[in-house]
C-alpha cells in the first residue's frame, strides 16, 4: 500500500515557511545592526555608516554610564547585533558581560569581528602606575574611560568604526570611506571653531564633580584642580567639601563642572561659599534633547562655558 501523498496545501505551507526562513536573513542583512554602549558611539556610527547601519545605544546620554540597568530588551538588541561597540577600560564591566552571554550571539563576543573596543588607539589618560584597590574608589585600572570628550579621539574612533564596518560589509566600503571623509572634514572645521572660542580661557582653573573631564581639559587647556568627590565614585564628605571650598577661594576657581545625573546640593553649597558658578556639563550625546549628535555635544558644553566665564575676569 502506497503512503498517502502530502496535500497541496501542506506542500505550499511548507514551501512558504522555507521561503520565509531563507528570506529572513536577507532582510535582516539589509542594514548592519550596531549596538553601542553610549550614544556618542551611536552618533559617530550613524555619521560613518549612513543608511547602511541601524544603531541602538544601551546607555542614554542623561544616564551615568557607570551604572546602567540591564534591561531584558537589551538582550534582544544584542542577540540581533552584527557589531557591538564599547568604551572598554572596564566602563561597562558592571552590566554588559552578562548581557553578552545571555544574547547567545557569538559574533559580538570579545575577540570577534563583531566586537569593537573604541578605546584602542585613543589618548587614554590617568593610567594607574600602581596596583588599584577598592580603597582608591572606583578607579579604572586601565585608565580614564571618558576619552570621547576629546574631539581628537572622536576622529580615531570614526576611523576604527569605518574600518570595522567595511570588514563586516565590504560592499559598503566606498560609502563608509566617503562618509568618514565628510565626518573628518566637519570635525576639523568644528575643532577650529571650538579651539578659537576656548582660547581666551586657556589655563582657567575648574573643579569637577567626577573625573569625567581630563581629556576635555587637556584638549581645551583647562586646569582641573580638584573634584567634589573625595575619590572617584565616593559621595562628597563634609571635610572634603570644606577642603574644596578653601581651595577654590585660595586659587580663585570660577567654575564647578557637574554632570547632569549628579545631585547638585553639594556643588551649589561650594559655589555659594566660594563665589564660583555651577555649570551643568554634558558628557554624552543625548544629555539633553537638543544635543542630537557628537558635534552638538561640544557646541553645547563650550558655548555654556564661554557664556559663564565672560565677565569673570
Amino acid at each position: 500500500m502506497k503512503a498517502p501523498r502530502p496535500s497541496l496545501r501542506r506542500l505550499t505551507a511548507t514551501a512558504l515557511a522555507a521561503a520565509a526562513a531563507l528570506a529572513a536573513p536577507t532582510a535582516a542583512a539589509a542594514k548592519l545592526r550596531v549596538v553601542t554602549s553610549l550614544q556618542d558611539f551611536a552618533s559617530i556610527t550613524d555619521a560613518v555608516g549612513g543608511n547602511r547601519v541601524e544603531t541602538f545605544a544601551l546607555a542614554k546620554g542623561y544616564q551615568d554610564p557607570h551604572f546602567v540597568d540591564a534591561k531584558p530588551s537589551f538582550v534582544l538588541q544584542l542577540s540581533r547585533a552584527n557589531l557591538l561597540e564599547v568604551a572598554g577600560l572596564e566602563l561597562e564591566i558592571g552590566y554588559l558581560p552578562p548581557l553578552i552571554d545571555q544574547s547567545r550571539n557569538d559574533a559580538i563576543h570579545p575577540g570577534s569581528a563583531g566586537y569593537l573596543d573604541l578605546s584602542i588607539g585613543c589618548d587614554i589618560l590617568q593610567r594607574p602606575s600602581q596596583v588599584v584597590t577598592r580603597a582608591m574608589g572606583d578607579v579604572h585600572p586601565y585608565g580614564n574611560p571618558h576619552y570621547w570628550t576629546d574631539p581628537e579621539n572622536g576622529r580615531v574612533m570614526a576611523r576604527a568604526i569605518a574600518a570595522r564596518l567595511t570588514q563586516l560589509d565590504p560592499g559598503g566600503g566606498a560609502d563608509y570611506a566617503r562618509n568618514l571623509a565628510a565626518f573628518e572634514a566637519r570635525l576639523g572645521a568644528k575643532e577650529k571653531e571650538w579651539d578659537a572660542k576656548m582660547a581666551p580661557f586657556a589655563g582657567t582653573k575648574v573643579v569637577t564633580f567626577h573625573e569625567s573631564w581630563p581629556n576635555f581639559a587637556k584638549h581645551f587647556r583647562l586646569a582641573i584642580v580638584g573634584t567634589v568627590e573625595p575619590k572617584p565614585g565616593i559621595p562628597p564628605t563634609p571635610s572634603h567639601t570644606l577642603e574644596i571650598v578653601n581651595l577654590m577661594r585660595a586659587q580663585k576657581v570660577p567654575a564647578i563642572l557637574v554632570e547632569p545625573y549628579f545631585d547638585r546640593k553639594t556643588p551649589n553649597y561650594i559655589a555659594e561659599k566660594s563665589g564660583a558658578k555651577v555649570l551643568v556639563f554634558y558628557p554624552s550625546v543625548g544629555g539633553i534633547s537638543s544635543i542630537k549628535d557628537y558635534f552638538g555635544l561640544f557646541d553645547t558644553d563650550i558655548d555654556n562655558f564661554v557664556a559663564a566665564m565672560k565677565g569673570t575676569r
Side-chain angles (χ1 to χ4, degrees):
M1 181 175 179
K2 294 182 179 179
R5 294 181 178 178
S7 67
L8 179 60
R9 180 178 298 176
R10 185 181 301 172
L11 286 171
T12 302
T14 302
L16 287 173
L22 290 172
T26 303
K31 289 189 177 184
L32 285 179
R33 291 195 176 102
V34 183
V35 174
T36 68
S37 62
L38 300 173
Q39 281 189 252
D40 309 87
F41 305 156
S43 172
I44 297 173
T45 301
D46 285 333
V48 174
N51 60 13
R52 300 185 74 93
V53 302
E54 174 184 296
T55 62
F56 178 85
L58 300 176
K60 306 310 177 189
Y62 50 81
Q63 296 175 311
D64 186 340
H66 301 84
F67 304 103
V68 178
D69 290 331
K71 299 178 181 179
S73 59
F74 291 172
V75 176
L76 176 61
Q77 292 289 343
L78 290 166
S79 71
R80 303 167 63 200
N82 303 109
L83 176 61
L84 171 62
E85 297 173 1
V86 302
L89 305 176
E90 295 195 351
L91 179 64
E92 300 92 356
I93 194 68
Y95 74 95
L96 190 54
L99 293 177
I100 295 175
D101 290 338
Q102 293 169 35
S103 75
R104 300 181 184 276
N105 183 353
D106 292 339
I108 61 168
H109 277 256
S112 69
Y115 182 93
L116 180 58
D117 181 343
L118 287 169
S119 70
I120 298 171
C122 288
D123 182 21
I124 306 302
L125 305 179
Q126 298 179 337
R127 294 185 187 270
S129 58
Q130 62 193 74
V131 176
V132 173
T133 67
R134 293 304 300 170
M136 300 166 67
D138 293 334
V139 173
H140 293 272
Y142 303 109
N144 192 298
H146 301 275
Y147 54 85
W148 65 89
T149 59
D150 179 347
E152 280 299 307
N153 284 336
R155 178 176 283 102
V156 174
M157 291 188 291
R159 291 173 180 175
I161 290 169
R164 189 58 57 90
L165 292 178
T166 300
Q167 179 182 349
L168 296 173
D169 174 28
D175 289 338
Y176 301 136
R178 182 168 53 251
N179 293 340
L180 174 63
F183 177 88
E184 291 201 55
R186 185 180 178 192
L187 183 60
K190 294 297 288 186
E191 280 186 293
K192 291 179 181 178
E193 174 189 324
W194 298 329
D195 291 345
K197 287 181 177 180
M198 292 294 288
F201 308 101
T204 298
K205 296 177 180 179
V206 297
V207 162
T208 67
F209 193 103
H210 180 71
E211 291 276 15
S212 299
W213 303 104
N215 285 95
F216 183 94
K218 179 182 177 182
H219 183 91
F220 294 109
R221 296 183 292 164
L222 302 179
I224 298 174
V225 297
T227 58
V228 175
E229 292 178 329
K231 296 178 182 178
I234 305 300
T237 61
S239 61
H240 181 72
T241 297
L242 179 58
E243 289 176 8
I244 293 297
V245 169
N246 291 335
L247 178 149
M248 294 185 69
R249 284 174 174 172
Q251 299 193 26
K252 296 181 172 54
V253 179
I256 306 170
L257 310 184
V258 182
E259 296 83 344
Y261 36 77
F262 288 127
D263 189 338
R264 291 174 218 167
K265 181 179 178 180
T266 299
N268 287 341
Y269 173 82
I270 295 171
E272 178 186 347
K273 296 300 181 181
S274 66
K277 296 181 179 180
V278 174
L279 298 182
V280 177
F281 242 50
Y282 300 96
S284 281
V285 174
I288 49 175
S289 59
S290 60
I291 302 178
K292 299 185 182 302
D293 62 21
Y294 191 63
F295 302 102
L297 175 64
F298 291 96
D299 284 337
T300 299
D301 285 336
I302 288 170
D303 286 349
N304 288 347
F305 184 84
V306 170
M309 291 301 99
K310 284 182 177 178
T312 63
R313 295 189 168 188

